């Protein structure tokens, strides 16, 4: 008996009893937007405020780069429309080790990002219910923000898609309202200096962009969950681009409004910058309370989608024998239950560490680590596309779109490399340690699999 091919192993539909694809175009687009527009837009304006107005330029550059990545994933999904996207692409191009590194790095990014999102919700809960700086209460709020969406994931992917649609509409409409109406209240004196970082403009641009990438993580959501998407060859690309463009519009308008409404020196120390911006618009506190409610719903919905992605990536790798076997098991709702448990437990540990070491410092570190670990799969996916284009195999590359695909892949690779460099030495160092920690796991699993295959191939 021969082992299944990598495509068969990763694609649930290649096996008997295909899984039902539950995400249509609307749910897939909502998944992308719901995962992009989460904690980032509500928290990061204050995080990048120390860099000054240059961070607004970084948002524009990131928006263009995110659209490039969306186009890249759409093209790759046409070739491999299966669950696990960013793991599948490097694996098919460069072999199992590259696939494993991409899956391990992306999985690390997911559960680190989940912990950071759960921490981000605390500042807005504090607007609604004052926590008075009590770290125990803050930790409990963060844990509740993590485990409630985790519990919802056990209900199945159909419910995840429904929650994404509802939460995306709930947060998109008021955010767009703030981002447009708020522009009429902007005071240019509030923007502060263009470059307040003390370093060169290119350096400040790269450093602020590395932090801001956290707000665009999720552009790959439809590609990672392609096995759950109906007509993925067409839907993944469209959902990725539409979701990214919609998110970028809200981001650019929203960040300009926040910078122009909250004085720079206050924004630097703000724990809930959007609430402060709305309070500046309304001249009271009711507006900030309303936006705090939206922020909590938004981040919770974002966690709902990210937990699904954190389970889907190792699920695909586990079906190839490149992740521990429990990650490949699914429950009645079609969700890889062990993957959900694993990311929730690891996120809990990081939250506990966060409130032990100090939330302000640790949140920034977590964001930068997610930039590094998120960009590694982006880099490998772009390299995989360049590989297929270089091979020029007719059934894999459309000649009419060769130049376009080459430009998109090359710019996506350069963009990902630039962001990794901008993350800084500490984030790259710590992210590399997370990445290398997976190598012993790969060695063990690969060795066990080859031993099993050798034993199965021996004559009786």
């Amino acid at each position: 008996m021969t082992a299944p091919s990598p495509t068969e192993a990763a694609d649930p539909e290649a096996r008997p009893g295909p899984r039902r694809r539950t995400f249509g175009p609307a749910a897939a687009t909502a998944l992308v937007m719901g995962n992009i527009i989460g904690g980032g837009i509500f928290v990061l304006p204050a995080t990048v405020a120390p860099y000054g107005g240059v961070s607004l330029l970084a948002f524009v550059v990131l928006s263009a780069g995110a659209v490039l990545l969306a186009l890249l994933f759409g093209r790759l999904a046409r070739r491999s429309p299966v669950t696990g996207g960013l793991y599948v692409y490097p694996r098919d191009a460069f072999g199992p080790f590259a696939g494993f590194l991409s899956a391990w790095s992306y999985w690390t990014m997911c559960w680190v990002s989940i912990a950071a999102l759960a921490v981000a919700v605390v500042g807005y809960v504090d607007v609604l219910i004052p926590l008075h700086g009590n770290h125990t209460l803050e930790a409990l709020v963060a844990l509740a923000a993590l485990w409630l969406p985790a519990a919802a994931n056990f209900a199945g992917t159909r419910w995840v898609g429904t929650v994404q649609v509802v939460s995306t509409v709930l947060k998109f409409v008021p955010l767009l309202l703030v981002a447009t109406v708020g522009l009429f209240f902007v005071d240019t004196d509030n923007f502060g200096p263009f470059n307040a970082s003390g370093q060169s403009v290119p350096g400040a641009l790269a450093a602020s962009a590395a932090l801001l990438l956290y707000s665009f993580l999720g552009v790959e959501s439809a590609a990672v969950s392609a096995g759950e998407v109906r007509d993925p060859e067409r839907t993944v690309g469209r959902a990725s681009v539409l979701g990214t463009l919609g998110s970028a519009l809200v981001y650019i308008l929203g960040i300009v409004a926040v910078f122009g409404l909250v004085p720079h020196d206050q924004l630097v120390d703000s724990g809930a910058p959007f609430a402060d911006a709305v309070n500046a618009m309304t001249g009271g506190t009711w507006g900030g309370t309303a936006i705090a409610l939206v922020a909590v719903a938004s981040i919770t919905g974002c966690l709902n989608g990210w937990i699904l992605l954190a389970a889907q990536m190792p699920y695909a790798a586990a079906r190839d024998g490149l992740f521990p076997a429990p990650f490949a098991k699914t429950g009645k709702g079609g969700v890889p239950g062990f993957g959900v448990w694993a990311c929730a437990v690891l996120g809990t540990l990081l939250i506990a560490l966060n409130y032990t070491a100090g939330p302000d410092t640790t949140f920034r570190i977590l964001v930068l680590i997610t930039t590094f670990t998120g960009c590694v799969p982006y880099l490998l996916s772009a390299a995989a596309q360049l590989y297929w284009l270089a091979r020029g195999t007719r059934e894999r590359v459309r000649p009419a779109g060769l130049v376009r695909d080459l430009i998109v892949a090359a710019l996506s690779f350069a963009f990902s490399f630039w962001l990794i460099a901008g993350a800084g030495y500490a984030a790259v160092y710590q992210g590399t340690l997370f990445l290398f920690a997976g190598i012993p796991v790969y060695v063990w699993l690969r060795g066990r699999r080859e031993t099993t295959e050798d034993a199965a191939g021996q004559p009786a």
Side-chain angles (χ1 to χ4, degrees):
M1 180 178 179
T2 58
S5 67
T7 301
E8 290 173 338
D11 185 0
E13 295 195 342
R15 296 188 173 195
R19 296 169 63 193
R20 184 177 180 181
R21 295 178 185 264
T22 56
F23 290 172
T29 303
L31 182 67
V32 174
M33 291 189 66
N35 283 351
I36 291 178
I37 302 178
I41 188 61
F42 293 108
V43 180
L44 286 179
T47 306
V48 298
Y51 292 97
V54 70
S55 56
L56 298 176
L57 179 59
F59 251 120
V60 175
V61 174
L62 276 175
S63 298
V67 172
L68 280 172
L69 290 173
L71 291 170
L72 172 71
F73 298 139
R75 302 306 301 169
L76 287 168
R78 283 181 175 269
R79 183 186 174 276
S80 302
V82 297
T83 293
L86 275 66
Y87 153 72
V88 175
Y89 312 144
R91 181 206 64 192
D92 287 352
F94 309 121
F97 183 63
F100 172 82
L101 282 183
S102 185
W104 182 267
S105 185
Y106 190 85
W107 179 63
T108 301
M109 181 272 291
C110 282
W111 59 263
V112 173
S113 179
I114 286 167
L117 280 171
V119 171
V121 82
V122 174
Y124 284 93
V125 171
D126 189 47
V127 174
L128 302 172
I129 306 172
L131 303 175
H132 305 294
N134 187 313
H135 285 356
T136 300
L137 290 177
E138 291 173 344
L140 290 175
V141 169
L143 290 174
L146 169 64
W147 280 96
L148 287 176
N153 265 263
F154 288 107
T157 55
R158 179 183 297 276
W159 287 103
V160 174
T162 301
V163 171
Q164 286 305 114
V165 172
V166 173
S167 64
T168 298
V169 171
L170 180 65
K171 65 194 173 188
F172 184 82
V173 173
L175 277 177
L176 189 57
L177 179 64
V178 171
T180 52
V181 176
L183 295 178
F184 293 98
F185 295 85
V186 165
D187 183 350
T188 55
D189 292 336
N190 290 334
F191 283 95
F194 177 73
N195 182 7
S197 66
Q199 54 184 303
S200 67
V201 171
L205 183 68
S208 57
L211 279 169
L212 292 170
L213 177 67
Y214 179 72
S215 62
F216 275 99
L217 294 174
V219 63
E220 72 288 342
S221 302
V224 172
S225 297
E228 307 290 345
V229 176
R230 293 194 294 271
D231 190 15
E233 292 86 352
R234 293 166 56 87
T235 302
V236 168
R238 293 179 179 180
S240 298
V241 172
L242 289 175
T244 302
L245 287 174
S247 302
L249 175 64
V250 175
Y251 274 175
I252 292 174
L253 294 177
I255 192 68
V256 169
V258 172
F259 268 61
L261 287 166
V262 183
H264 181 259
D265 56 343
Q266 297 179 23
L267 184 60
V268 171
D269 298 322
S270 176
F274 253 76
D276 291 340
V278 176
N279 284 337
M281 290 171 54
T282 60
T285 59
W286 67 267
T289 301
I291 203 67
L293 285 170
V294 172
V296 171
S298 173
I299 298 173
T300 303
C302 186
L303 279 165
N304 177 70
W306 271 112
I307 289 171
L308 173 65
L309 294 187
Q312 292 284 21
M313 180 67 77
Y315 163 80
R319 291 177 72 91
D320 278 358
L322 297 180
F323 245 69
F327 283 94
K329 298 179 180 179
T330 59
K332 294 181 179 179
V335 173
F338 186 83
V340 172
W341 279 110
C343 73
V345 170
L346 289 169
T348 297
L349 293 176
L350 276 185
I351 289 172
L353 174 64
N354 177 77
Y355 285 99
T356 300
D360 295 336
T361 301
T362 308
F363 178 79
R364 180 185 175 88
I365 293 173
L366 290 178
V367 168
L368 288 174
I369 290 175
T370 61
T371 295
F372 174 81
T373 53
C375 280
V376 169
Y378 294 169
L379 198 74
L380 290 174
S381 295
Q385 177 72 335
L386 290 171
Y387 169 77
W388 293 120
L389 292 171
R391 283 190 58 177
T393 311
R394 286 186 178 273
E395 64 269 20
R396 299 192 186 279
V397 179
R398 295 177 59 189
L402 178 61
V403 175
R404 178 200 60 197
D405 291 348
L406 182 62
I407 292 174
V408 169
L411 290 178
S412 296
F413 185 93
F415 176 66
S416 301
F417 192 88
W418 176 66
L419 287 172
I420 290 175
Y425 293 109
V428 172
Y429 168 73
Q430 293 170 358
T432 301
L433 292 181
F434 274 111
L435 191 63
F436 286 175
I439 294 179
V441 177
Y442 173 82
V443 171
W444 171 258
L445 293 173
R446 185 72 176 176
R448 294 276 295 179
R449 180 179 178 181
E450 291 184 356
T451 299
T452 302
E453 290 176 350
D454 289 344
Q458 293 178 357

